[in-house]
Amino acid sequence: MPPPADIVKVAIEWPGAFPKLMEIDQKKPLSAIIKEVCEGWSLGNPENFALQIADATNFYITEKNRSDIKNGSILRLTTSPYQTAVQLHERIQSSSMDAKLEALKDLANASRDITFAQEFINLDGISLLTQMVESGTERYQKLQKIMKPCFGDLLSFTLTAFVELMDHGIVSWDTFSVAFIKKIASFVNKTAMDTAVLQRSLAILESMVLNSQDLYHKVAQEITIGQLIPHLQGTDQDIQTYTIAVINALFLKAPEEKRQEMAHILAQKQLRSIILSNVIRSNTPINDEMAHQLYVLQVLNFNLLEDRMMTKMDPQDQAQRDIIFELRRIAFDVELEPNNSGSIEKRKSMYTRDYKKLGFINHVNPAVDFTQIPPGMLALDNMLYFARHHQDAYIRIVLENSSREDKHECPFGRSSIELTKMLCEILKVGELPSENCHDFHPMFFTHDRAFEEFFCICIQLLNKTWKEMRATSEDFNKVMQVVREQIMRALTAKPNSLDQFKSRLQNLSYTEILKIRQSERMNQEDFQSRPILELREKIQPEIMELIKQQRLNRLCEGTCFRKISSRRRQDKFWYCRLSPNHKVLHYGDLEESPQGEVPHDSLQDKLPVADIKAVITGKDCPHMKEKGALKQNKEVLELAFSVLYESDEYLNFIAPDKHEYCVWTDGLNALLGKEMTSEYTKSDMDTLLSMEMKLRLLDLENIQIPEAPPPIPKEPSNYDFVYDCN
């Protein structure tokens, strides 16, 4: 007899018959179970049958997935995957359009199951579908005008079945012909095409590009960005999502040398503004898949910066040096002096002075500052963009800092280099997009030079924060940490535009950051860093043991309980205490409430702790279930507990107050080796743990802690120094 875990009770359906209730032995072969089911309905050839899950999925039960069958599952007896595949293979080749359409619909549904898909593919079903797409559909081109909906459905179900079969990863994408690719591309390039056909065609093109480098080149020849753009200008978000997915796939698989060219084409076609107006700012809420595709597009666009980010400046390259000269010219409104004006030494001295004002680390040859990668030449590009497009702000920052004391100036050059590096880290420039991330920022779709504008806002923020912190050159890293926090907090709000981002930063001043940090510290009293959490975990058992000992010590001291008579008059007392060795409970009646502890020998009754079976509380206690006990007020119910011993004997308690109730229930549970769960235990744990953590985290450097407590001083010889208020 197998254990109950191997027996599953299910219902099995068969068309035209009443469902059967069966117990399936999971240790028996599936073929034996199917044979038994077939015999119950007098069906021959059990090898032609299979079991399916009777839900929307209709997945076949196999030896691999049979463990998914649970008690109460409803199964369906149906034809085997092989038989179904053979039948559908024949039906989709029917000369009747209606029969063909119904067969393709059934195929599209069945193809989601990998067991069926394997059988259909073994019959060369993929080749049959591609032939139908390449040539078979042309047979119905003449019918398209008079039977357009039927034609759209026919093609839609064909492509759906194809996509479902390919998604199982059984067949390689490299096996498809150029004719098939051209046909799929033609469905995308047509201006008026059935929505379902267009959606499936875009999905196929995306998969082709992502799964085969060879197919990427073939698809890229058939599809242009210009042909994809119109699909973004509609209102169907699914079509828009698949369109952006194809653009992302082409972008991702493009060779390095073609990515910049493709980015230029995207800019020419105004892809960004079309996505902004038709997708991001449309009335339809953005779903998760669209958010993911926008995130991927955002990452791929920023990754175009990687080449500049990883390019060192060549100090000997005159064109690159001219950019630094341009920064100096704009800042100080000087024209380039001819070579014969003044001595060489004088010109060098002038340049050195100006480069120092510009905040470069190397005053003699600033080009050396840009040899660090990252951020490489990208930092210089950002500085030049800021100087040219935000000239007033650039000049103000440079002149403002050059007029301060040396130690208080915010070095523009060094700040720009470190800020560019930080922004690249925040936006993960150079990293491939994550498969599950939806973290796109609408503001980056509002400007063609989004990264440069992002830098311009942040460099002004950095200068403002530097002044607010009254920073010196030694505080440079501290300022960068605060600026990073300001940027990250502003980005978390997902501003819709760069202006909104700027406004958000205005509200996140250094003072506000300090307030937020203080508030977070107060909310996370014991902090949440890993070392602190590890220390808490280490200390917790010690504190729990301390609480346990305190509870047991209180039980050893004992407590006086009121005894309720049959008339419910609380006029008698009894006392209970635990023996010092924690092995026996001593208890007995008292005539009146004691003034102190009651000795063990005056308590007549004993209950060995080893005989205690359980501790029961509240309304489950026997003395709370007695007739009339339900009339007891809520306070009495909350103070009642009982000790169960032997077979059905109880020792019933009503604690004098909530504190004693918690002490005794905790102590009794501790004696039984169970968890102490009272609210007082939780309160004590929080208090003691907090105190212990604070003590251990005290800064006691260079302070000698004595091994023994200091001695109590002697009493003074007189108390003449005491002032008597009376």
Side-chain angles (χ1 to χ4, degrees):
M1 181 76 183
D6 292 321
I7 299 295
V8 185
K9 295 182 179 181
V10 299
I12 301 180
E13 299 175 341
W14 172 250
F18 286 107
K20 282 190 175 185
L21 297 177
M22 274 190 71
E23 289 187 351
I24 291 179
D25 183 354
Q26 290 284 43
K27 285 189 173 179
K28 286 175 66 175
L30 195 57
S31 56
I33 295 169
I34 293 170
K35 184 178 180 182
E36 185 182 337
V37 173
C38 289
E39 287 172 352
W41 275 309
S42 303
L43 299 172
N45 301 320
E47 66 276 4
N48 292 336
F49 293 91
L51 290 172
Q52 276 181 335
I53 299 286
D55 61 11
T57 62
N58 292 328
F59 284 168
Y60 283 99
I61 303 295
T62 64
E63 292 292 353
K64 288 182 179 179
N65 65 14
R66 63 184 296 176
S67 59
D68 294 341
I69 303 174
K70 307 297 180 189
N71 277 316
S73 296
I74 300 175
L75 308 182
R76 181 186 298 116
L77 185 67
T78 185
T79 52
S80 68
Y82 173 74
Q83 290 293 324
T84 306
V86 169
Q87 291 168 11
L88 284 173
H89 196 275
E90 292 174 359
R91 287 172 58 202
I92 61 174
Q93 299 180 72
S94 169
S95 56
S96 165
M97 195 155 189
D98 289 339
K100 191 186 198 79
L101 184 63
E102 196 62 34
L104 285 167
K105 186 177 180 181
D106 292 343
L107 177 62
N109 289 327
S111 296
R112 290 177 294 176
D113 183 272
I114 191 169
T115 311
F116 167 83
Q118 186 68 67
E119 297 292 350
F120 189 78
I121 289 168
N122 290 343
L123 296 171
D124 213 15
I126 292 282
S127 297
L128 178 60
L129 291 176
T130 54
Q131 287 170 19
M132 289 171 65
V133 172
E134 288 174 28
S135 57
T137 52
E138 301 207 358
R139 198 179 302 164
Y140 303 102
Q141 293 291 331
K142 294 176 183 177
L143 299 173
Q144 200 169 359
K145 289 182 182 178
I146 57 172
M147 299 183 70
K148 190 171 182 179
C150 184
F151 172 78
D153 289 344
L154 183 78
L155 193 51
S156 169
F157 289 130
T158 305
L159 295 176
T160 301
F162 176 83
V163 169
E164 295 288 356
L165 291 168
M166 291 302 297
D167 278 350
H168 296 299
I170 299 169
V171 179
S172 169
W173 284 91
D174 285 313
T175 56
F176 298 108
S177 65
V178 175
F180 179 71
I181 297 168
K182 284 180 179 289
K183 180 61 70 174
I184 297 297
S186 71
F187 300 146
V188 173
N189 292 338
K190 283 181 182 175
T191 51
M193 177 52 71
D194 181 83
T195 303
V197 173
L198 178 58
Q199 188 175 314
R200 304 296 185 277
S201 300
L202 287 166
I204 291 168
L205 291 177
E206 182 200 6
S207 295
M208 284 179 173
V209 172
L210 291 176
N211 289 287
S212 169
Q213 192 64 33
D214 184 46
L215 287 183
Y216 156 75
H217 294 290
K218 293 176 181 175
V219 171
Q221 290 174 358
E222 300 297 327
I223 294 288
T224 65
I225 300 299
Q227 290 163 329
L228 291 171
I229 292 292
H231 300 311
L232 291 171
Q233 295 171 322
T235 56
D236 189 316
Q237 191 169 113
D238 288 335
I239 296 296
Q240 292 174 328
T241 303
Y242 280 105
T243 302
I244 296 176
V246 173
I247 292 170
N248 286 340
L250 291 168
F251 215 146
L252 192 62
K253 288 295 179 178
E256 289 291 334
E257 65 275 7
K258 284 197 173 182
R259 284 187 188 173
Q260 291 290 349
E261 180 187 331
M262 187 172 175
H264 182 64
I265 294 170
L266 292 178
Q268 278 186 331
K269 298 293 182 182
Q270 298 184 325
L271 175 71
R272 179 197 58 75
S273 58
I274 289 169
I275 289 176
L276 182 67
S277 56
N278 292 280
V279 178
I280 296 173
R281 291 181 177 170
S282 73
N283 295 326
T284 309
I286 293 175
N287 59 35
D288 285 348
E289 184 55 33
M290 173 60 88
H292 172 68
Q293 294 300 338
L294 290 172
Y295 152 77
V296 173
L297 184 59
Q298 172 185 294
V299 171
L300 294 175
N301 269 313
F302 284 142
N303 281 357
L304 294 170
L305 304 169
E306 184 184 11
D307 183 48
R308 294 293 283 174
M309 181 182 79
M310 300 307 289
T311 300
K312 291 182 180 181
M313 183 171 183
D314 181 1
Q316 306 305 319
D317 189 319
Q318 188 58 44
Q320 294 179 359
R321 289 167 64 86
D322 285 345
I323 298 175
I324 297 175
F325 293 149
E326 178 72 358
L327 289 173
R328 173 177 174 264
R329 185 193 67 76
I330 296 172
F332 304 114
D333 195 23
V334 293
E335 295 298 330
L336 291 177
E337 299 89 351
N339 289 333
N340 58 358
S341 65
S343 69
I344 295 174
E345 291 299 324
K346 185 180 177 182
R347 285 208 310 274
K348 279 186 178 179
S349 174
M350 193 188 306
Y351 286 164
T352 301
R353 182 198 66 203
D354 289 348
Y355 291 148
K356 184 175 182 296
K357 288 180 180 179
L358 281 169
F360 290 113
I361 298 171
N362 192 315
H363 306 152
V364 177
N365 186 5
V368 176
D369 289 12
F370 300 98
T371 55
Q372 172 197 349
I373 54 169
M377 288 295 292
L378 185 60
L380 187 58
D381 294 343
N382 283 338
M383 292 168 72
L384 183 62
Y385 181 90
F386 181 50
R388 285 177 171 172
H389 294 83
H390 300 269
Q391 197 170 105
D392 291 345
Y394 167 68
I395 293 170
R396 178 175 50 78
I397 287 175
V398 173
L399 297 183
E400 196 176 83
N401 285 292
S402 63
S403 62
R404 291 181 188 163
E405 293 179 47
D406 284 356
K407 67 175 185 177
H408 281 290
E409 67 177 5
C410 176
F412 174 73
R414 182 185 175 192
S415 299
S416 298
I417 292 167
E418 290 302 318
L419 179 64
T420 302
K421 184 180 178 182
M422 181 201 292
L423 298 182
C424 288
E425 289 171 359
I426 290 172
L427 299 176
K428 298 180 180 177
V429 174
E431 294 184 23
L432 286 174
S434 166
E435 291 184 7
N436 302 312
C437 188
H438 309 113
D439 190 24
F440 85 96
H441 294 276
M443 72 177 192
F444 291 132
F445 289 85
T446 62
H447 202 285
D448 288 328
R449 303 289 293 274
F451 184 80
E452 289 86 344
E453 288 293 325
F454 186 42
F455 168 84
C456 294
I457 293 170
C458 293
I459 193 65
Q460 293 177 74
L461 167 73
L462 193 154
N463 191 61
K464 173 174 168 281
T465 303
W466 184 283
K467 289 189 288 186
E468 290 172 348
M469 292 177 68
R470 297 181 181 176
T472 62
S473 52
E474 289 82 9
D475 299 320
F476 186 85
N477 290 333
K478 279 186 184 177
V479 176
M480 294 305 293
Q481 287 172 4
V482 173
V483 169
R484 187 187 190 99
E485 186 173 345
Q486 289 170 314
I487 293 168
M488 293 300 288
R489 288 185 183 278
L491 286 176
T492 304
K494 293 288 180 72
N496 289 320
S497 66
L498 290 164
D499 285 339
Q500 280 188 21
F501 175 68
K502 203 170 182 178
S503 299
R504 178 72 180 146
L505 289 176
Q506 290 292 333
N507 297 328
L508 284 169
S509 63
Y510 176 58
T511 307
E512 186 64 25
I513 291 291
L514 289 179
K515 286 180 184 176
I516 292 170
R517 286 178 176 179
Q518 180 66 22
S519 173
E520 288 177 351
R521 273 200 292 270
M522 291 176 67
N523 292 335
Q524 302 172 358
E525 185 181 355
D526 294 327
F527 311 109
Q528 296 298 319
S529 65
R530 183 176 292 177
I532 302 296
L533 292 173
E534 288 175 356
L535 181 60
R536 282 177 66 94
E537 288 176 11
K538 184 179 177 182
I539 295 172
Q540 222 158 352
E542 300 173 20
I543 302 293
M544 188 57 76
E545 184 61 29
L546 187 66
I547 295 170
K548 176 183 172 182
Q549 290 304 319
Q550 188 272 340
R551 300 293 194 261
L552 294 177
N553 289 342
R554 281 288 293 108
L555 264 60
C556 290
E557 292 173 11
T559 302
C560 178
F561 297 93
R562 288 187 178 273
K563 196 169 186 178
I564 299 179
S565 67
S566 57
R567 292 191 195 175
R568 300 284 179 232
R569 287 178 61 200
Q570 299 182 352
D571 52 3
K572 290 186 179 181
F573 300 92
W574 68 288
Y575 200 89
C576 186
R577 65 183 296 181
L578 180 65
S579 63
N581 62 5
H582 301 170
K583 290 187 176 180
V584 180
L585 281 176
H586 297 267
Y587 62 96
D589 292 346
L590 300 174
E591 289 301 321
E592 58 183 7
S593 180
Q595 297 303 312
E597 289 186 17
V598 177
H600 292 94
D601 51 11
S602 65
L603 300 172
Q604 309 86 357
D605 300 310
K606 296 180 182 179
L607 172 60
V609 172
D611 291 348
I612 298 175
K613 300 286 189 281
V615 178
I616 301 165
T617 59
K619 61 184 180 182
D620 294 328
C621 298
H623 57 310
M624 293 292 104
K625 290 183 177 179
E626 294 170 8
K627 187 177 180 181
L630 292 175
K631 294 180 182 178
Q632 293 292 332
N633 60 36
K634 186 180 177 184
E635 288 181 11
V636 175
L637 278 173
E638 289 178 349
L639 299 175
F641 63 97
S642 301
V643 171
L644 170 64
Y645 61 97
E646 292 183 358
S647 57
D648 199 18
E649 296 292 325
Y650 293 91
L651 189 61
N652 298 320
F653 299 75
I654 294 179
D657 53 46
K658 189 69 175 177
H659 182 263
E660 288 297 323
Y661 169 84
C662 291
V663 165
W664 273 85
T665 52
D666 281 343
L668 292 169
N669 279 323
L671 287 172
L672 298 177
K674 295 182 178 178
E675 190 178 351
M676 298 183 293
T677 56
S678 76
E679 59 191 62
Y680 275 75
T681 294
K682 185 179 183 304
S683 174
D684 289 349
M685 171 62 79
D686 291 343
T687 302
L688 293 170
L689 191 56
S690 176
M691 290 172 61
E692 185 67 19
M693 289 288 291
K694 287 171 182 174
L695 284 170
R696 295 205 184 192
L697 293 172
L698 279 175
D699 185 6
L700 300 177
E701 189 177 353
N702 300 324
I703 297 175
Q704 294 296 323
I705 301 176
E707 294 293 331
I712 298 172
K714 292 179 181 179
E715 286 191 25
S717 56
N718 62 68
Y719 291 91
D720 294 345
F721 57 87
V722 177
Y723 177 74
D724 188 355
C725 296
N726 299 323

